Amino acid sequence: MLNMRGQPLMPTTQKKGKKLLREGKAKVVKRCPFTIQLTYATGEARQPIKLGVDIGYTNIGFSATTKRLEVISGTLTLRKDISKKIDERRRYRRTRRGRLWYRKPRFFNRKKDEGWIAHSTHHRLASHLSLVKKLKSLLPITFKRIEVSNLDTQKMQNPEITGMEYQQGELQGYEVKEYLLEKWGRTCAYCGRSGVPLEVEHIIPSSRGGTDRVSNLTISCRACNVKKGDQTAEEFGYPVIQQQAKQPLKAAACLNNIRWRIVEQLGAEHTYGYITKYQRNKLDLEKSHVNDAFVISSGTNQERCRPYQVIQVKRRNRSLQLNRKGFKPSIRRQRYHLQPHDLVKFDGSTYKVKGVHCYGTRVILKNVKGQDKSVVITKVELVKYGKGLLFNLC
């Protein structure tokens, strides 16, 4: 519930909300989470609301509690295509620069600003901040607590590592390819051939999220490398080799980079993973992002609420429409009024838009009487644009 100035008030019951709407004392400003705004001046008594956030690489858990009940909770699923989009933009930029006849020399613009972080890491940092900002616009949050965990990446790879071994890496005394040749016996890891030219090969391909860490590299002949393509070693029929690819550390490195930035920029308190685990086991709750966030927000025996499943949606797309075979550049320059995930009204009911076709004259609606349906675009009425953070009840 919001006051006349759009500032958050304490949430109310469904019954009282319906009464206020029926009497014209409130209006609907948001459908999910369902939010109303009062049209008259009222008292603004507030109770303490504690927000707990369980930071993550792909999922973020959140929970806000009062002394008596949990008012909102859920899990935000982050986008996974940021790195791919950045690589695509880089290719376009280099191709465009290559077409220039003359380009001014650029020798002094390669310095990175202090505090610079990678774009994909910055996206996850901004997503955490955006989620908390969104919740603060809905609830009068008075206290924030974030879970930070110091992830030892070397101990994740070798639990028994101690002392000087931290300074002596796996490649001590070796070059990468020489190390791999020794490790795999100078034979192809897939067909076992020796005495042929061998190549460094990714067990999990780079296009599938594989890294250049030596634990994700192996040696193969040219024929096996070409035949394997963009498959993982397990998909190629070698699960044993797949098991030798140790746990990737991108998530741990990213969270180690942004955890204190989140705490500092939000002005929040922090707690640690072992404390959360102890409290969760004490309350006999299963491991999940929502339950961790509930414990972080000082949750004990409060009445729980139905959690939300939140997804990130990119509203604008650089490529409007590809040709029928999927080749670029795009074949359409006009942007249609309706986009996927938009909410529209048709025949007295609301539906989500799947897409637009027939040169923008028809729109495809999801789950109309159990199946997708194409209708004339003039017969639908826009209710809400689907962009940013979309809240859906689990």
Side-chain angles (χ1 to χ4, degrees), residues 146-161:
I146 313 295
E147 179 189 290
V148 294
S149 299
N150 186 12
L151 302 175
D152 189 337
T153 54
Q154 295 200 58
K155 213 170 189 65
M156 292 171 66
Q157 295 284 326
N158 179 16
E160 299 180 359
I161 189 171

Side-chain angles (χ1 to χ4, degrees), residues 71-87:
V71 293
I72 192 172
S73 66
T75 304
L76 168 61
T77 302
L78 300 177
R79 289 174 55 191
K80 302 177 182 178
D81 60 344
I82 300 299
S83 297
K84 183 179 178 180
K85 295 290 184 182
I86 293 172
D87 291 338

